[in-house]
Amino acid sequence: MEAYRRQTVTSTPSTETTPPHPDNEIHLSQNGTITRYVDAGLRMLETAPHIVLVGKGATVNKTVTVAEIIKRRKEGQLYQYTQIGSVAATETWDPVKEALDT
């Protein structure tokens, strides 16, 4: 693999074909804290009838934790609908040397 260099990784369609995220979606990342996401979710629920929590890869556990904390703080006012999907990732590798196959 040292003779090749990774060029790009495509995991979702381009932004030209993907509509912008709705205002009621929270996309969790590894860097954000659970407390911050819970507070953001509770604030969104004051104005929106429902929210969507999105987590990919390592953030799936954090997403479930945030959903459970929000449900517990609302004390029976919410119900949960869970949808699990997958994203296909495509990697492109270019040769470092001219004589290698592309």
Side-chain angles (χ1 to χ4, degrees), residues 33-64:
T33 63
I34 290 176
T35 307
R36 194 170 121 205
Y37 292 125
V38 169
D39 291 342
L42 290 172
R43 271 184 297 181
M44 277 189 185
L45 282 172
E46 292 173 0
T47 59
H50 67 279
I51 61 172
V52 177
L53 302 173
V54 179
K56 295 179 183 177
T59 61
V60 171
N61 290 338
K62 186 184 283 190
T63 305
V64 171

Side-chain angles (χ1 to χ4, degrees), residues 16 26 32-33 37 39 44 61 74 81 84 87 96-97:
E16 299 160 1
I26 300 175
T33 63
Y37 292 125
D39 291 342
M44 277 189 185
N61 290 338
K74 285 301 210 174
Y81 172 73
I84 298 174
V87 176
V96 176
K97 299 176 184 176

